[in-house]
Amino acid sequence: MPTTSAALRAVALAASAAVLLVAAAGCSDSGDKETDQEQSKDLASQKLNWQPCPAPSEAEGGGTAPSPLPGGTAWECSFMNAPRDYAKPDGDTIELALIRARAADKNKRIGSLIFNFGGPGGSGITTLPAAAADYAALRTRYDLVSFDPRGVGRSAAVECEDNSRLDAYFAQDSTPDDTAEEKAFTDGLKSFANACEKNSGDELPYVGTTNAARDMDLMRQVLGDDKLSYFGISYGTELGGVYAHLYPAKVGRAVFDAVVDPTKTSEQSSLGQAKGFQLALTNFAQNCVDRGDKCLIPGSTPQEIQDWIIALLDKLDKQPIAGSGDRQLTESQATNGIAQTLYSKEYWELLEQGLDEADGGNGGLLLALSDAMNGRSEDGDYSNIQAANAAINCVDSKERYTMEQTKAKLPEFRRASPVFGAFLGWGLMGCSEWPVPGAWSTPDVSAPGAAPIVVIGNTGDPATPYEGAKAMADSLGKGVGVELTYRGEGHGAYNSGSTCVQQAVNAYLLDGKVPAAGTVCA
């Protein structure tokens, strides 16, 4: 286990790759392909001006410029022009930020492999360099490419509230217990949405998944590839599915890992997450029990450990504790921090430590874990990951829940998870005050005639439950979705350390060998 500070940096990376808590099911329309083709004629021939990458912007999370890869390959960055509104091909354009590392073996180069690491709202500009070591085998034959999707980072970023107001927003009670707390909760949602409209109103209608998929096809053309080679993770699988539906003939070799269920509405997805995080927490508790006295959390059964955690959260609901500086740890932030550690079994040790310290009155570690999920740096600056997450989800999903509708759903959510149920149930109201209407309940990802897409489900995934992989494979269509199962813990499979998963994925992306449908990796 790395040191706490190093581990928190890793957690922050995981957060930038997958911000799925309370995420609505992203949706898209079928698009206007004739308009897309017209736009391609004008913009597909643009030449990218690749330059050494600067340090990430504040909206991307800050930090230092990416270091060269082992062997000296430097990261290159550029901007690609894309239409703000694809219905107006001759209208205004926006700049989309791209990053790449060239293939190691130029003689055997296949083309560009485009990554989307999830969110929605995660910056590919910062995530790809940080995770590049995991994909070194793929760089032998591909240029590794990622991007900040529209609304994210350096790509016409959505801006909402300032740092101090975001501190208050994320600290507020997100599981209200009485009328006063309910009003504070809805006031917070309204204030956040109003700030987004004030600061980014011109961009909000255009940041949805459909336009991001169109951007990827324009990117494919500008990069000089006949077909799209793609690696989508978490929300990136939904984006990939929408792309496959819009452009089935342009799908090359593609892999979906940590798969979003395209058949579920935002409510169904949130309920699935409640069950998924509950399963992961139970597995954590069982691990604690198995370790006996070595575990810092009291309890001789998983249920006793869960009851202890619930009691701790109840105490924080009544009285927050010291966190970091003058900031306190609230119940909402503690719940958020707990969920963050369940994205990977590697972070269970941090969860155990954070819970133990919070029981002793020190909420610093759980607060830092929650900050990582919310995109807050140690110096108090926020990236725009949560602003972009809200903007993309709310323009995709048409569901708008009232207070009465939400409260009626809470019993089912609490049954699904005594720890996370109320937290995720109240999250149904996340788009209730949004100024731009949503379009759909679920995306269409059917892609008849597309090349095989490898779809990987992880049986212990808390954020994108395992069942979603089969739903995606079935929805893509016969002969397109090829399901592979990983029996493990955490969010995703390729980066889990499973040699079996990596070999199957590498064999497909590098050599075109499609794994047998139903392959199981332990």
Side-chain angles (χ1 to χ4, degrees):
M1 184 72 189
T3 64
T4 299
S5 59
L8 284 172
R9 287 193 293 273
V11 171
L13 169 61
S16 70
V19 179
L20 282 170
L21 270 182
V22 203
C27 318
S28 64
D29 61 77
S30 58
D32 183 340
K33 296 177 184 179
E34 292 183 2
T35 298
D36 294 350
Q37 292 167 357
E38 290 177 14
Q39 186 66 51
S40 297
K41 294 176 183 177
D42 295 330
L43 291 175
S45 60
Q46 65 183 289
K47 301 299 181 184
L48 300 182
N49 181 26
W50 294 101
Q51 298 290 333
C53 291
S57 68
E58 181 179 315
E60 291 171 314
T64 58
S67 300
L69 290 159
T73 297
W75 291 97
E76 301 174 308
C77 286
S78 188
F79 286 96
M80 180 187 80
N81 290 318
R84 171 178 280 110
D85 181 357
Y86 275 91
K88 299 177 180 178
D90 296 323
D92 294 339
T93 60
I94 58 173
E95 288 188 329
L96 303 179
L98 276 65
I99 188 169
R100 77 174 178 186
R102 289 180 178 270
D105 190 338
K106 294 180 175 57
N107 294 325
K108 295 184 178 181
R109 179 183 177 275
I110 296 170
S112 297
L113 179 63
I114 296 177
F115 288 79
N116 182 282
F117 294 94
S123 167
I125 303 295
T126 58
T127 306
L128 181 58
D134 295 326
Y135 305 102
L138 301 176
R139 197 174 68 83
T140 57
R141 302 193 64 194
Y142 287 100
D143 295 347
L144 302 186
V145 177
S146 194
F147 62 107
D148 286 352
R150 56 176 60 213
V152 177
R154 274 186 284 159
S155 297
V158 172
E159 298 179 3
C160 296
E161 294 184 317
D162 62 26
N163 292 330
S164 62
R165 292 185 67 87
L166 285 174
D167 276 345
Y169 181 65
F170 292 125
Q172 74 177 15
D173 192 334
S174 56
T175 57
D177 302 310
D178 55 39
T179 303
E181 290 183 353
E182 289 171 1
K183 183 179 186 304
F185 177 68
T186 55
D187 285 350
L189 293 175
K190 185 177 297 185
S191 175
F192 183 82
N194 287 344
C196 296
E197 183 177 27
K198 177 182 177 181
N199 294 317
S200 295
D202 290 345
E203 305 299 338
L204 296 184
Y206 307 111
V207 297
T209 300
T210 296
N211 280 341
R214 290 167 171 157
D215 291 338
M216 287 205 303
D217 197 62
L218 180 60
M219 198 179 305
R220 171 192 65 78
Q221 297 173 70
V222 171
L223 291 170
D225 293 324
D226 291 333
K227 297 197 174 184
L228 181 79
S229 298
Y230 180 72
F231 201 131
I233 302 164
S234 196
Y235 162 78
T237 67
E238 184 177 277
L239 174 59
V242 170
Y243 178 91
H245 174 69
L246 290 174
Y247 310 103
K250 296 302 182 183
V251 175
R253 298 172 187 174
V255 172
F256 294 174
D257 189 7
V259 185
V260 172
D261 188 335
T263 69
K264 291 189 180 300
T265 64
S266 59
E267 177 188 331
Q268 293 167 336
S269 294
S270 293
L271 188 61
Q273 283 192 335
K275 296 174 181 177
F277 278 99
Q278 184 63 39
L279 173 62
L281 186 67
T282 299
N283 292 340
F284 160 80
Q286 183 63 60
N287 176 267
C288 244
V289 170
D290 293 344
R291 289 168 44 233
D293 292 341
K294 294 181 180 179
C295 180
L296 300 173
I297 309 302
S300 58
T301 68
Q303 184 63 51
E304 288 181 0
I305 288 175
Q306 175 180 278
D307 290 344
W308 182 91
I309 293 172
I310 292 171
L312 174 63
L313 292 173
D314 286 343
K315 287 191 290 185
L316 290 171
D317 187 26
K318 296 179 178 65
Q319 182 61 56
I321 61 174
S324 176
D326 60 358
R327 299 170 67 220
Q328 293 185 310
L329 176 72
T330 66
E331 178 199 20
S332 296
Q333 291 163 320
T335 306
N336 201 42
I338 292 169
Q340 174 61 11
T341 62
L342 297 176
Y343 276 85
S344 173
K345 190 174 181 179
E346 292 181 4
Y347 308 144
W348 286 4
E349 187 174 332
L350 286 178
L351 173 55
E352 184 180 334
Q353 179 184 343
L355 289 169
D356 178 61
E357 291 178 358
D359 184 52
N362 177 7
L365 181 51
L366 285 182
L367 181 57
L369 290 164
S370 180
D371 285 346
M373 177 76 88
N374 291 329
R376 188 185 194 274
S377 66
E378 291 182 4
D379 60 9
D381 291 330
Y382 282 88
S383 73
N384 90 312
I385 189 168
Q386 292 293 356
N389 180 268
I392 295 167
N393 280 327
C394 293
V395 78
D396 278 349
S397 178
K398 69 178 182 181
E399 296 180 355
R400 301 290 187 265
Y401 283 84
T402 65
M403 176 73 70
E404 292 72 20
Q405 290 170 328
T406 299
K407 292 169 76 170
K409 299 290 183 180
L410 290 178
E412 184 178 10
F413 274 80
R414 290 191 175 106
R415 286 192 297 270
S417 174
V419 176
F420 302 103
F423 186 69
L424 285 158
W426 280 105
L428 294 176
M429 291 187 66
C431 296
S432 62
E433 301 291 342
W434 202 251
V436 177
W440 313 106
S441 293
T442 61
D444 190 345
V445 301
S446 60
I453 297 173
V454 177
V455 178
I456 311 170
N458 180 349
T459 58
D461 196 316
T464 50
Y466 170 65
E467 295 77 14
K470 184 179 188 305
M472 175 67 81
D474 290 346
S475 298
L476 288 167
K478 186 176 181 180
V480 180
V482 179
E483 187 180 4
L484 184 155
T485 292
Y486 169 58
R487 299 195 183 281
E489 299 290 341
H491 188 45
Y494 187 84
N495 292 345
S496 68
S498 169
T499 301
C500 172
V501 171
Q502 291 177 349
Q503 287 179 342
V505 169
N506 293 349
Y508 182 49
L509 290 178
L510 296 173
D511 302 315
K513 182 179 178 181
V514 182
T519 296
V520 177
C521 292

